Amino acid sequence: MKIPESIKKAIRSGNESELQEICNSLHPADAAAAFTSLNEEQQIQFAQFLNNDALSLITSFLPASESADLIASLEEKDRTVILESLPDDVVTDLIQETDEDQQKTYVELLSDEKKGAAETLLGYPEDSAGGRMTTAYATLQENMSVKEAIETLEETKEDAEILARIYVVDENKRILGKVRLRDLTFNAWSTPIKDIMDHEKLAIRAEEDQEEALKMMLKYNMLALPVIDDMDRLLGIITHDDALEIQEEESTEDLEMAAAIAGERDEEGYLKSPVLSHFKRRAVWVFFLAIVAILSGLVILNYESLLENVFILAVYMPMIVATGGNTGSQAATMVIRAMSLGEFTPSEFFRVVWKELRIGLALGALLGALIAIGSWILITTFINPDTLKSITGGHDLSDLVITVGIALTIQVSASTFIGAALPMMAQSCKLDPAVVASPAITTIVDVLGLLIYFGIASMMLAI
Amino acid sequence: MKIPESIKKAIRSGNESELQEICNSLHPADAAAAFTSLNEEQQIQFAQFLNNDALSLITSFLPASESADLIASLEEKDRTVILESLPDDVVTDLIQETDEDQQKTYVELLSDEKKGAAETLLGYPEDSAGGRMTTAYATLQENMSVKEAIETLEETKEDAEILARIYVVDENKRILGKVRLRDLTFNAWSTPIKDIMDHEKLAIRAEEDQEEALKMMLKYNMLALPVIDDMDRLLGIITHDDALEIQEEESTEDLEMAAAIAGERDEEGYLKSPVLSHFKRRAVWVFFLAIVAILSGLVILNYESLLENVFILAVYMPMIVATGGNTGSQAATMVIRAMSLGEFTPSEFFRVVWKELRIGLALGALLGALIAIGSWILITTFINPDTLKSITGGHDLSDLVITVGIALTIQVSASTFIGAALPMMAQSCKLDPAVVASPAITTIVDVLGLLIYFGIASMMLAI
């Protein structure tokens, strides 16, 4: 029997002790995963059957929206116990997920210490360094001895996360450096902290974007990044698991923007968020791009007589448009990704654009030649000359395939150029380069492609 | 003066001590970033000017391909010193980046201990758990006391990473549990390890994909994940910074596949990899999709008489095609991302498809209605009746805008359905769902959209 099934069975049969037994035998992360697969009614029973210790453990592995629901289903005294047992950044996430009128009630349930921490964290936007941080760290003073330091830390030794980050601070809570637990373990008790600390002061300001925090942690290979206020006082730290979460959020955001999906991902996940919320995130761009795409239609209307005379041009039209879209979004993706990995900045505009122009020219010229020659061979071999004459309007086949080849070359070069240039221009205007990702670029190069194609055809065929 | 500029200046003027001073004042990660911005000749001089201690520090912050180049430029005795100073997973990455004929020479330069570790790691594919792991961990036996444990660990206390992961193993190196350094620090020297260890045995087999390792670390919130062989013996660990790297690689891969970019990302980065290597990664899909797009052209050719009679249909053609592409890739991106976050599996096919169908129908029907009504109002207001007659072929405008509205509704529903269904089908066939991401889906729904549009038009207008 699979785990969620056995849990469902225990809940259905009201077998409290069996459910407790199953959950005790599971890793809390697995119990949390099982919990999320239950329906609302089952979740409430699940919470009633388990004691607060088990619930606290499971809650810390749940997505914030799920744990908010879980806590909401509990009685007030159980709520207090569980909220108090959670790390303060988890409590903050959970409170942020709660309805606004409930938020105050939750904060009131917390002990004074936790309340202070939660209020500080709630004061920063969710996606800033301050909104991400936790206050689970330890501080020591420079003039302590190893013995005094160990005594200070002993009080908090059970708080799993704290001892991995021990900062040495001055009387104003400004960071002077770090001490590692091993330095305390392997040094004589009389050694002054001053002698064994390092002097690394890397930190990030609370109001900075979470993405900046991630970049610092990646660059300097940090396990934890201190967060400071504008007086340089230590406020909290961002941990390695926050870094993973930030990275996941940011890459989901990039992927979604590249697919014309707007707004923030629902914390509830794909299956649980309602159709309407999916609809809202997709409709904005789809409607906007559809209206812009009518421009392409107007270009076609403008060249009506050309198309009606030489109908074969219509056959190549989707290919020229689609290829421009593909090469444009390739260039945009490459450039956006490289910028977000910090490989270059818009100051290297010309180097990047020059590289993309060469790539675009190579792709366009080769594809153009292949399509032109391939078409010529296939058409002269398989198409009956009368049929051909009716769709070429009597124009020379060679002129037509050369038109297609040249249009492809120019369209691919132009769209590669635009795909690279627009995100860099957005970045220099302090916009997220991903806003001009694939969908916007595809729509622009669609219109452009038709103008290029029909423009060249008019010249080549002298119509 | 910016940092890379001052470094370049020191190199140009051959000022060895100034370069050393600059590098000493920088965080090694910043020095490494400056190094990557130098040209090849400058890099060689940079390496010559610095002593081995400084170089080792900087090397550990360089991308593998850059550090391979740096090491290749050194004399053999310096190579030995630096290779020996690096963590074994960094050495392995670096050797993997070296030309094959050089790899053996490098392994020979290592001490016996490092050589063994490197050979084990090189035996696994680069993107498997085994290829990612490091051997920087410590082991203890269950029957040791805290005092014996501290004595055992004292030898390795300077190896920065080891003390964060202390595993308790049996005589066959099978994991029995973990001990934290804090448990050793805060317990009496006589306490047996058995009493303070936990019994967590979560581990991953060496041949598993690195993505599985990341998923485990995310789910169980682990700082390090043990890697075992098929006899359950501990081989190494995957660390939190590996987890970040794996996540970055995987999300870059997803983004690139969504933009029709094939193959592996160049380790050298965007600017340094040659035009030819960019060309190769982009040409495959672009050429393939261009040829498939000719199918759309053939559909247009097939409806030649319809289009020539009712030219206004051509005006809406790009919009119907592009909107299908956009909604199809939205659905694909949502589904692929949700699957890669483990939110559902293909077993929930019908639930997902049902959700997407409703979203698609809502998007399509609303957009269809808007475009139909909007067109009718704009055309009757602004277009001269004679012009209109020439492009509608005498058909009733209401019939035409209703055709467009219905075609949009069906096209958007169908492409949303296809966008969701194809990646799930790929996943159930054990393929990476991202292979059927946006570009493939766009191309399919392009052809489909034209068939739907012209099919409906033929029926509605009875042509």
Side-chain angles (χ1 to χ4, degrees):
Chain A
M1 187 151 50
K2 277 183 163 177
I3 297 158
E5 272 316 305
S6 62
I7 285 182
K8 277 179 202 165
K9 203 184 140 222
I11 290 175
R12 264 199 305 272
S13 57
N15 195 333
E16 208 166 310
S17 64
E18 193 185 324
L19 182 70
Q20 285 166 1
E21 221 169 273
I22 297 173
C23 288
N24 283 336
S25 70
L26 288 177
H27 190 289
D30 288 315
F35 178 83
T36 55
S37 75
L38 300 176
N39 67 32
E40 210 174 315
E41 199 185 330
Q42 290 167 331
Q43 289 187 341
I44 292 173
Q45 284 203 279
F46 183 99
Q48 282 169 350
F49 282 11
L50 291 188
N51 61 33
N52 286 337
D53 285 349
L55 274 184
S56 299
L57 265 176
I58 293 173
T59 312
S60 64
F61 284 96
L62 284 176
S65 62
E66 299 266 355
S67 47
D69 291 348
L70 188 149
I71 303 250
S73 78
L74 298 175
E75 287 173 36
E76 190 171 307
K77 72 173 172 27
D78 296 328
R79 272 188 208 169
T80 315
V81 176
I82 294 190
L83 285 175
E84 200 57 31
S85 73
L86 295 172
D88 53 4
D89 52 341
V90 176
V91 173
T92 315
D93 285 353
L94 191 156
I95 293 179
Q96 278 164 337
E97 282 303 307
T98 312
D99 303 330
E100 280 204 21
D101 52 319
Q102 285 281 313
Q103 294 193 347
K104 270 222 169 115
T105 340
Y106 278 24
V107 174
E108 288 310 316
L109 293 178
L110 297 171
S111 66
D112 284 348
E113 198 194 330
K114 272 232 143 64
K115 199 188 289 181
E119 279 167 348
T120 314
L121 266 66
L122 284 169
Y124 292 100
E126 243 182 295
D127 55 359
S128 69
R132 273 286 174 185
M133 68 190 178
T134 162
T135 50
Y137 60 89
T139 54
L140 297 175
Q141 266 71 53
E142 220 179 9
N143 53 8
M144 285 180 170
S145 67
V146 166
K147 183 163 186 285
E148 289 166 322
I150 292 184
E151 283 163 3
T152 311
L153 297 175
E154 197 146 15
E155 293 165 28
T156 55
K157 73 177 176 201
E158 272 322 304
D159 197 330
E161 293 191 291
I162 288 184
L163 293 176
R165 311 112 190 184
I166 311 171
Y167 296 93
V168 182
V169 294
D170 68 12
E171 64 278 17
N172 294 317
K173 285 208 81 177
R174 280 192 297 243
I175 303 172
L176 301 172
K178 286 197 317 295
V179 181
R180 296 172 308 176
L181 187 58
R182 75 193 60 168
D183 299 320
L184 304 177
T185 313
F186 297 113
N187 275 294
W189 278 18
S190 60
T191 318
I193 292 297
K194 209 183 314 205
D195 292 359
I196 54 173
M197 64 187 272
D198 68 25
H199 293 84
E200 195 174 278
K201 292 174 191 167
L202 289 170
I204 190 167
R205 296 222 183 253
E207 60 273 14
E208 290 266 3
D209 194 276
Q210 59 175 6
E211 208 172 349
E212 288 309 311
L214 172 65
K215 277 189 188 162
M216 277 186 82
M217 293 177 79
L218 280 172
K219 177 170 181 188
Y220 298 107
N221 201 357
M222 299 168 95
L223 201 54
L225 173 65
V227 179
I228 54 177
D229 67 11
D230 47 14
M231 307 278 282
D232 286 348
R233 286 176 302 207
L234 181 58
L235 293 175
I237 51 163
I238 295 181
T239 62
H240 70 101
D241 44 320
D242 293 323
L244 275 171
E245 263 177 44
I246 296 171
Q247 199 180 46
E248 193 201 283
E249 279 178 23
E250 298 291 336
S251 63
T252 300
E253 212 181 284
D254 283 357
L255 259 172
E256 292 186 343
M257 285 178 109
I261 298 166
E264 292 238 343
R265 194 165 177 278
D266 237 304
E267 284 236 17
E268 286 180 323
Y270 177 89
L271 280 178
K272 294 211 172 168
S273 48
V275 168
L276 185 66
S277 100
H278 282 277
F279 176 86
K280 279 187 197 155
R281 299 191 60 205
R282 304 191 198 180
V284 189
W285 273 101
V286 166
F287 286 19
F288 175 72
L289 295 174
I291 289 163
V292 179
I294 291 184
L295 279 184
S296 292
L298 297 178
V299 174
I300 295 179
L301 188 60
N302 190 42
Y303 286 98
E304 183 185 355
S305 67
L306 175 66
L307 270 175
E308 289 189 342
N309 270 320
V310 197
F311 196 78
I312 196 175
L313 289 175
V315 177
Y316 290 95
M317 196 171 68
M319 186 207 45
I320 289 177
V321 168
T323 305
N326 288 334
T327 48
S329 63
Q330 284 181 333
T333 302
M334 284 298 229
V335 167
I336 291 172
R337 197 66 188 160
M339 283 197 294
S340 85
L341 297 178
E343 288 185 22
F344 57 78
T345 57
S347 66
E348 277 158 303
F349 188 85
F350 291 104
R351 249 179 103 187
V352 174
V353 158
W354 171 230
K355 176 159 247 160
E356 287 296 328
L357 266 179
R358 283 177 295 162
I359 301 170
L361 198 62
L363 281 170
L366 189 59
L367 182 64
L370 277 176
I371 296 278
I373 296 169
S375 298
W376 194 87
I377 295 174
L378 289 173
I379 292 173
T380 48
T381 317
F382 294 108
I383 310 280
N384 158 325
D386 290 341
T387 320
L388 183 63
K389 209 180 160 195
S390 80
I391 54 172
T392 56
H395 287 278
D396 192 19
L397 181 62
S398 318
D399 287 346
L400 287 165
V401 296
I402 291 173
T403 300
V404 171
I406 294 177
L408 257 178
T409 310
I410 297 180
Q411 158 75 339
V412 170
S413 309
S415 52
T416 309
F417 169 80
I418 292 172
L422 284 190
M424 293 175 80
M425 280 154 62
Q427 176 97 315
S428 7
C429 303
K430 309 268 172 224
L431 290 171
D432 183 346
V435 296
V436 287
S438 315
I441 285 171
T442 305
T443 309
I444 295 172
V445 302
D446 278 3
V447 181
L448 184 73
L450 291 172
L451 287 172
I452 291 173
Y453 181 40
F454 294 134
I456 292 173
S458 305
M459 280 198 299
M460 288 286 296
L461 310 175
I463 296 180
Chain B
M1 186 152 45
K2 276 183 163 177
I3 296 157
E5 273 316 304
S6 64
I7 285 182
K8 276 180 202 165
K9 201 183 143 223
I11 290 175
R12 263 199 307 272
S13 56
N15 195 335
E16 209 165 309
S17 62
E18 193 185 325
L19 182 69
Q20 286 165 2
E21 220 168 275
I22 298 173
C23 289
N24 283 337
S25 69
L26 289 177
H27 190 290
D30 290 315
F35 177 83
T36 56
S37 75
L38 299 176
N39 67 32
E40 211 173 316
E41 201 185 328
Q42 290 167 332
Q43 290 188 339
I44 292 173
Q45 284 202 281
F46 182 101
Q48 280 168 352
F49 282 10
L50 291 187
N51 61 33
N52 287 336
D53 284 350
L55 274 185
S56 300
L57 265 175
I58 294 173
T59 312
S60 63
F61 285 96
L62 283 176
S65 62
E66 298 267 355
S67 47
D69 290 348
L70 187 151
I71 302 250
S73 78
L74 298 175
E75 287 174 38
E76 189 171 306
K77 71 172 174 25
D78 296 326
R79 273 188 207 168
T80 315
V81 176
I82 293 190
L83 284 175
E84 200 56 31
S85 73
L86 296 171
D88 53 5
D89 53 339
V90 176
V91 173
T92 314
D93 285 353
L94 189 158
I95 293 179
Q96 278 165 335
E97 282 302 307
T98 313
D99 303 331
E100 282 206 19
D101 52 319
Q102 285 278 316
Q103 295 193 346
K104 270 223 169 115
T105 341
Y106 278 25
V107 175
E108 287 310 316
L109 292 178
L110 298 170
S111 65
D112 285 348
E113 198 193 327
K114 272 232 143 67
K115 199 189 289 182
E119 279 168 348
T120 314
L121 266 66
L122 284 169
Y124 292 100
E126 244 183 292
D127 56 359
S128 68
R132 273 287 174 185
M133 68 190 179
T134 161
T135 51
Y137 60 90
T139 54
L140 297 175
Q141 265 72 52
E142 220 180 8
N143 53 11
M144 285 178 169
S145 67
V146 166
K147 182 164 187 282
E148 288 167 322
I150 291 185
E151 282 163 3
T152 311
L153 298 175
E154 196 146 17
E155 293 166 29
T156 54
K157 73 177 177 198
E158 271 322 305
D159 196 329
E161 295 193 290
I162 288 184
L163 293 176
R165 310 113 189 184
I166 312 172
Y167 296 95
V168 182
V169 294
D170 69 8
E171 65 279 14
N172 294 317
K173 287 208 77 177
R174 281 191 297 241
I175 302 172
L176 300 171
K178 287 197 316 296
V179 180
R180 297 172 307 176
L181 188 57
R182 75 194 59 167
D183 299 320
L184 304 178
T185 311
F186 296 113
N187 274 295
W189 277 20
S190 59
T191 319
I193 293 298
K194 211 184 314 207
D195 292 358
I196 55 172
M197 64 187 274
D198 68 24
H199 292 84
E200 194 174 279
K201 291 173 190 168
L202 289 169
I204 190 167
R205 297 220 182 255
E207 61 272 16
E208 291 266 5
D209 195 277
Q210 60 175 6
E211 211 174 345
E212 289 309 311
L214 172 65
K215 278 188 188 162
M216 278 187 79
M217 294 177 78
L218 280 172
K219 177 171 182 186
Y220 298 108
N221 200 357
M222 299 167 93
L223 200 56
L225 173 66
V227 179
I228 53 177
D229 66 10
D230 46 15
M231 308 277 284
D232 287 347
R233 286 176 304 206
L234 181 59
L235 292 175
I237 51 163
I238 294 181
T239 62
H240 70 101
D241 43 322
D242 293 323
L244 276 170
E245 264 178 43
I246 296 170
Q247 199 179 46
E248 191 200 285
E249 279 179 23
E250 299 291 335
S251 63
T252 301
E253 213 181 285
D254 283 358
L255 258 172
E256 293 187 342
M257 284 177 110
I261 299 166
E264 291 237 341
R265 195 164 177 278
D266 237 305
E267 283 236 16
E268 285 178 324
Y270 177 88
L271 280 178
K272 293 212 172 168
S273 49
V275 169
L276 186 66
S277 98
H278 282 277
F279 176 85
K280 279 187 196 154
R281 299 191 61 206
R282 304 192 198 179
V284 190
W285 273 101
V286 166
F287 286 20
F288 174 72
L289 295 173
I291 289 163
V292 178
I294 291 185
L295 279 182
S296 292
L298 297 178
V299 174
I300 295 179
L301 187 60
N302 189 45
Y303 287 97
E304 184 185 353
S305 65
L306 175 66
L307 270 176
E308 290 190 343
N309 270 320
V310 196
F311 197 78
I312 195 175
L313 289 175
V315 176
Y316 290 95
M317 196 171 67
M319 188 213 37
I320 289 178
V321 167
T323 305
N326 288 334
T327 48
S329 64
Q330 283 181 333
T333 302
M334 284 298 229
V335 167
I336 291 172
R337 197 66 189 161
M339 284 198 293
S340 86
L341 297 178
E343 288 185 21
F344 57 78
T345 58
S347 66
E348 278 159 304
F349 188 85
F350 292 105
R351 247 179 104 187
V352 174
V353 158
W354 172 230
K355 177 160 245 160
E356 287 297 327
L357 266 178
R358 282 178 294 162
I359 301 170
L361 199 62
L363 282 171
L366 189 59
L367 182 64
L370 277 177
I371 296 278
I373 296 168
S375 296
W376 195 87
I377 295 174
L378 288 175
I379 292 173
T380 48
T381 318
F382 294 109
I383 309 278
N384 157 328
D386 289 340
T387 319
L388 184 63
K389 208 178 162 197
S390 80
I391 55 171
T392 55
H395 288 276
D396 192 20
L397 181 61
S398 319
D399 287 346
L400 286 165
V401 297
I402 291 172
T403 300
V404 170
I406 294 179
L408 257 178
T409 310
I410 298 181
Q411 159 73 339
V412 170
S413 309
S415 52
T416 308
F417 170 80
I418 293 172
L422 283 190
M424 294 177 82
M425 280 155 62
Q427 176 99 315
S428 1
C429 303
K430 308 268 172 224
L431 290 170
D432 184 346
V435 295
V436 289
S438 316
I441 285 171
T442 306
T443 309
I444 294 172
V445 302
D446 278 3
V447 180
L448 185 74
L450 291 173
L451 287 173
I452 291 174
Y453 182 40
F454 294 135
I456 292 172
S458 304
M459 281 196 302
M460 289 284 296
L461 310 176
I463 296 180

